[in-house]
Structures are given as C-alpha cells and as structure tokens.
C-alpha cells in the first residue's frame, strides 16, 4: 500500500482562544489543513482574539492516517478550534469583588487555565507571575515547525494533546448545557517528553519556570495508531462547533467540517489503536497518561459529531459500536468519567437524546442500554451499600488505587447533577435504583456534597481549591508557582532550591484544584508529593463542570427552552426530525 509522503504540519498564524478564562488566551493556530479562519477579525473580537486556525492537513494517501503530530499543541490547536470556550470571564472578580460561594469558586477554577498558558502572553494576562514561554517549541531535530502556544498540563512544563482535548470537550459540554448560568453570573462574555532520566534536563527532571526553559523539548509523532487521540479531537471540535453556532455560524460550520474530515480518516482509513502503543508517539507520554482503549473515544467523537451535524451516519456508528467500547473499557473504570474513559459520560449524553429527542429505531435498543447504564451509574454513586466506598468525611473513592480522588469525584458530581437536570426537564421525579428511589434532590445533594468536600467541608478543614477560603494548600506542586517572579532566570539546578524549600509558594496558584487527600483522608501539603498537591487541566475541567452544574441561578423558563438553568434544545439544534 502506498505510503503518504506528507506530514501533518502545524504552524502558527496568530493567537486565539482555547479555554475559559477572563484573560487572553494564547492558543495554537496550526496548519492542520482543515479549518479556515473565523469571520471575526482580531480587531473585531472584544478581546482582540482571532478564533482562527489554519489546519492544512495534507494526506496524499487517505488509507492511512500516517503522521499525526503528537504534541500537546497540535491537539490543542485543533482543540483550540475547540476553542472554545471561552473567555468565560470578565475577570474583574478574581481576587475580590462581589462573587461568593460557588460562583466565586467557579471564577477561581477558570482562572487556573490562565496560569497554564504557554507561548506569547499579553500584558493583560491576569496571572501576573507568568510570562512568555516555550517560544521555540517545535524546533526539534530535523523538525522546524512552530508549536508555540497551548497549555501546560499540570505542575510540569509538558503539553499533552490527549488531556487537553478531553478538557475542551468537557468544558464545551457545560457551555452548551448551562450557557444561561454562565451568562447570569457574568462568565460567558466571549463563549462562543516525559523522561525519567534525572541526568538529563527535561520537563520532568528540571524544576524550572517555563519562562526560563533552555533544554531541548522533544516533539513526538504518531505514525500508526492514534485512534483515541483522534476520537477526542473529533469530539472537541464537534462540541466547540455547537458553542459557536450562534456567535459565528460560518466558523461553527468549519469546525464541524474539520471534525468530520478527521472522523473519516480515523474510522475508515486508519489502523486503529491507542496512541500509547506507538513507541514513536506515546510511549513516554504513557508514563503519565496511558490510554487503555480507543473505542470509547471514537464513539464519543461520533456522538458529538451527530449532535453537531444532525447526520445520522454518526449516530449509527456511535450506537453500533457502543457495546464494543463498553467491553473494551477497564473493569476498574466502570462508572468513572475521566481522560481515559468516556463510556459513562457517553451513556449519560445518549440518554439525553433518548429522553428528549428520541430518534426511534434502529437506535432504540442501544439508546435504552445507555439510559439503563446511566441510571445504574448514578445509582452506584448513591445506593447503600455503595458500589464505591466513601471516606468517613463523605468523599467518594472511584479509583481507590489512584491519586487525585477529587478529580474523579468532580466528574461524578457533574454526571449526577446533569442527569438529574435531564430527568427534571421531562418531569421524572428521581432515579429508581432497585429497592431504593432517590428523588432529584438526592442527586443534587450528592453532587453538592462532593463539591463542598473540595471546598473545605472535610476532616482537614482544607479547601483543596487554592485561594478559596482561609485554609488551602500553600505548597502546590507547580514549577511556575513555586519560583519567585523576580526578574531573574533560574537554571534547573537553581530551581531545585525552590522545589525543596519549606516555605510556601511565593506565587498563589489561584483556582488550582490539587489532587487531594488519600483514602484515609490524610493530606500532605508538600511540594515534593505531587500525589497530594499537583493540579491538572483535566482535573480542573471536571471541577468547573461540577461547579457550573450546581450554581443555583434562578432563571424563569422561557417557552420551556430553559429549565433550571439548562438549555433544553440547544444541543439538538442541528437535528432535523
């Protein structure tokens, strides 16, 4: 079979928006071939942002998705298309103002994304201890492609495509469903290589601010199996197209078209597999984010493409392959929604379709399976005895053998609340769980209990959202936050002084949600213990989702379109039945 002679080339053409925040986002605009620019000019945009991404994806032989650059940015870009999201905030609230309670927590959680930006940062960036960084990203060995921009994943200086796309899809979902809530509290203004060799300076071994990086930054390319990565990008682009549908219809259409093009490559002409199986692509990334399957991402992407286009071909793919995705998922991931597993969320999303825009046969059987599964998942959070154990303080432990329990609890809270909102729209009073019945108030109280735990209602009396409340982590595992912003450059060896310091971080990483306590509810506020103190963009995305779902913003129903802050029909706007 003829090999493709073209690579996936990414180049920067300007700046754009990627994730929600009040400041300006520096997202990556790449030559990925598929997306033309938005009809908005930089000057026309309220924050002078272009939402444009030039994705010139050149594939001569479409029987193989031959070279898919694996680097955070590439996706980010793509995802940036996903862009979404938002500028979700006029950030006058940060650090003061009239917000309190959940709206204030939401404001802070969104601000964390500003602290994770890479590339050229505007002077108006609200996080004042961050500056330009990663300005030579993409210059690696024989490659000389600009990959400047995007977002650092966590407390290190690495950029991952997979988790970034996941974060964008999830955030886009919340904007589609709860745009009225975002708007009501002033947050929607503009919606719309890891190497463990310590002898070598790199993103893991070196404790250095991203602004001071001088060591080589490898670019990893995927030559064969990247189905999971492609699927999540497909979902991110499709979901973002719905976000921009009213604001910029032309741009929204182009996002959907790009998603469709990638779908064709990923499902019909590609050797399927996970990105972490490819030694040239994800083997090193797998040390931190090992993907265990790909079918859930492809089904997830197809589901969002159906919603974004109304094309039932995508719904056919999603429903015909849903069971296979369930079977491929790890048993330990049952009921858990996070970067590695989309089955639970997909079941809830397709349940919304069955309850509110039932397409009937030939999809009914799988959609019923999804609604039964969604109900079962929510019951597993609530029933006594619980499938999942709880700490004495009330934190659900969805993955007892893994760190970051708060991040898993956040998405469980989100699924519980959004599922309850779906039931509320169709006047179903609660969830039937065998011999138990849980009214909608119980679904909401479970979700609220998990968020309250994160915000300080726990045995440690610790708010795990930095900056919220009077007692929060002060030694967050984060390079930029832990090194003074004092006009001096610090080498890797000099940075170790700050890594090992007993003093609190000189820069408060406002809005970061750390990994959280262990299963015994102990918490070590120690910079060298990332299993307790490291935040991630994927984790914060889940917290944002839970917070906005729970924000109590009374909105008068308007022609049954908005119920309880949720837009009943926006997500179905492209479906003609």
């Amino acid at each position: 079979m003829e090999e493709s002679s073209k690579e996936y080339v990414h180049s920067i053409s300007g700046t754009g928006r990627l994730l929600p925040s009040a400041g300006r986002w520096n997202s990556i605009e790449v030559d990925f071939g598929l997306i033309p620019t938005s009809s908005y000019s930089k000057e026309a945009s309220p924050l002078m942002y272009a939402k444009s991404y030039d994705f010139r994806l050149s594939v001569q032989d479409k029987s193989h998705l031959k070279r898919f650059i694996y680097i955070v940015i590439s996706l980010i870009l793509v995802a940036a298309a996903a862009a979404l999201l938002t500028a979700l905030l006029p950030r006058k609230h940060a650090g003061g103002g009239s917000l309190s309670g959940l709206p204030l927590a939401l404001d802070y959680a969104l601000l964390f994304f500003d602290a994770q930006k890479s590339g050229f940062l505007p002077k108006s960036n609200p996080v004042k201890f961050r500056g330009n960084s990663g300005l030579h990203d993409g210059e690696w060995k024989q490659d000389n492609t600009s990959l400047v921009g995007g977002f650092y994943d966590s407390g290190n200086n690495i950029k991952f495509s997979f988790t970034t796309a996941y974060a964008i899809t999830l955030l886009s979902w919340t904007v589609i469903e709860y745009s009225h809530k975002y708007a009501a509290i002033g947050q929607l203004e503009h919606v719309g290589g890891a190497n463990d060799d310590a002898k070598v300076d790199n993103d893991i071994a070196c404790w250095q601010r991203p602004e001071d990086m001088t060591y080589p930054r490898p670019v990893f390319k995927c030559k064969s199996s990247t189905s999971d990565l492609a699927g999540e990008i497909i979902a991110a682009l499709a979901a973002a197209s719905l976000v921009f549908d009213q604001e910029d219809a032309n741009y929204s259409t182009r996002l959907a078209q790009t998603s469709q093009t990638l779908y064709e490559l990923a499902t019909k002409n590609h050797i399927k597999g996970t990105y972490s199986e490819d030694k040239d692509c994800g083997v090193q990334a797998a040390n931190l984010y090992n993907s265990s399957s790909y079918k859930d991402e492809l089904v997830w992407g197809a589901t969002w493409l159906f919603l974004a286009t109304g094309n039932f071909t995508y719904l056919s793919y999603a429903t015909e392959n849903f069971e296979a995705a369930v079977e491929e998922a790890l048993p330990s991931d049952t009921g858990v929604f996070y970067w590695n597993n989309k089955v639970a969320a997909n079941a809830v999303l397709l349940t919304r379709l069955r309850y509110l825009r039932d397409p009937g046969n030939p999809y009914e059987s799988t959609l019923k399976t999804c609604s039964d599964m969604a109900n079962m998942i929510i019951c597993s959070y609530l029933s006594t005895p619980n499938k999942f154990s709880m700490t004495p303080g009330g934190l659900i432990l969805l993955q007892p053998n893994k760190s970051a329990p708060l991040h898993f609890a956040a998405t469980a809270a989100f699924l519980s609340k959004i599922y309850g909102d779906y039931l509320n729209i169709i006047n179903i009073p609660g969830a039937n769980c065998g011999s138990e019945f849980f009214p909608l108030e119980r679904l909401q109280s479970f979700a609220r209990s998990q968020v309250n735990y994160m915000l300080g209602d726990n045995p440690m009396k610790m708010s795990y959202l930095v900056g919220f409340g009077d007692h929060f982590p002060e030694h967050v595992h984060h390079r930029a936050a832990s090194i003074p912003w004092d006009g001096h450059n610090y080498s890797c060896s000099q940075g170790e002084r700050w890594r090992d310091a007993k003093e609190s971080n000189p820069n408060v990483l406002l809005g970061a949600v750390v990994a959280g306590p262990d299963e015994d509810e102990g918490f070590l506020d120690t910079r060298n213990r990332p299993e307790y103190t490291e935040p991630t963009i994927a984790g914060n995305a889940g917290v944002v989702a839970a917070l906005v779902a729970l924000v109590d913003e009374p909105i008068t129903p308007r022609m049954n379109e908005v119920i309880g802050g949720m837009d009943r029909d926006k997500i179905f706007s492209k479906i003609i039945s």
Side-chain angles (χ1 to χ4, degrees), residues 33 36 92 126 151 181 202 223 328 381 478 545 564:
K92 56 190 176 189
F151 297 84
K181 286 189 178 184
N202 58 51
K223 296 179 180 178
E328 190 182 59
Y381 300 157
H478 193 274

Side-chain angles (χ1 to χ4, degrees), residues 89-99 103-104 107-108 185-187 510:
L89 322 156
R91 187 88 25 197
K92 56 190 176 189
H93 299 305
S98 60
L99 291 182
L104 180 62
D107 182 84
Y108 284 178
I185 59 176
Q187 305 263 15
L510 194 65

